[in-house]
Amino acid sequence: MNQKLYNPKFKEKKTAAEKKKKTRTIVIIAVILVLASVATYWMMPRTGSLEDSTLFDEATVKSQAEKVIGYMNADVSADKMKEIMTEERLSEAKEKVSADWGAFKSMGDISTTTISKRGVNAAVAYVTATYENVEIHYTLAFDEDMKLASFGMQ
């Protein structure tokens, strides 16, 4: 009399408490996933056209970008540039791009956009400046008060 003690086709019935616990766990996981998705969406940067912006004026952004690049081309000790960046940091940044830039030749067209991230808005200007020995790509971001918020060059 060989009887099997285990039948793989046999399924135990779950009690009401076990079903309720499983349902609650699934609902909690679903809520956490929805909250994580909403938080991720909110934290992602959103870009838009500067022409459609109610916060920024495209002409002002382009003018500010030209002014900052003008400060870069002027004597490093200019008072206005010192307000934006220290002389040491500016020299370091220039050296990382190229040791010898040469004289400023021209500035290309300025393209602009807006970026909004976590409730913070910025106007961004992209411009390429040509020097005798190197071509520099500037990325300038301005806050709502038109103060330089970010400065990058490659």
Side-chain angles (χ1 to χ4, degrees):
M1 297 217 193
N2 244 348
Q3 280 188 338
K4 289 185 179 179
L5 297 176
Y6 173 72
N7 184 351
K9 294 182 181 178
F10 177 74
K11 294 182 180 179
E12 284 187 47
K13 290 186 178 182
K14 294 185 179 183
T15 65
E18 289 175 327
K19 287 180 183 179
K20 188 175 181 180
K21 183 178 180 181
K22 183 177 180 180
T23 303
R24 187 176 338 155
T25 303
I26 290 171
V27 168
I28 289 171
I29 290 171
V31 167
I32 289 171
L33 288 173
V34 167
L35 290 175
S37 297
V38 168
T40 301
Y41 175 78
W42 184 72
M43 293 177 73
M44 289 182 61
R46 288 177 278 297
T47 60
S49 171
L50 197 62
E51 295 170 349
D52 301 333
S53 175
T54 58
L55 298 172
F56 301 102
D57 176 52
E58 187 173 20
T60 306
V61 172
K62 287 182 176 182
S63 169
Q64 283 293 94
E66 288 173 354
K67 197 182 297 184
V68 171
I69 293 171
Y71 293 151
M72 288 291 297
N73 298 329
D75 184 14
V76 175
S77 63
D79 290 336
K80 286 287 185 184
M81 196 61 199
K82 282 186 176 180
E83 291 175 16
I84 298 171
M85 186 182 295
T86 65
E87 190 173 337
E88 297 82 33
R89 287 191 61 201
L90 182 59
S91 295
E92 260 181 54
K94 281 185 166 185
E95 282 290 320
K96 284 183 181 178
V97 175
S98 176
D100 181 25
W101 288 25
F104 176 74
K105 291 172 92 177
S106 66
M107 187 181 325
D109 290 335
I110 300 173
S111 60
T112 58
T113 189
T114 59
I115 295 179
S116 178
K117 183 176 178 180
R118 289 186 260 164
V120 177
N121 299 302
V124 181
Y126 304 99
V127 63
T128 300
T130 306
Y131 296 84
E132 285 180 340
N133 302 325
V134 70
E135 189 174 85
I136 304 294
H137 304 281
Y138 290 101
T139 304
L140 308 155
F142 301 96
D143 63 13
E144 291 179 32
D145 297 326
M146 290 310 298
K147 292 183 179 174
L148 189 62
S150 176
F151 177 80
M153 57 184 169
Q154 296 177 324

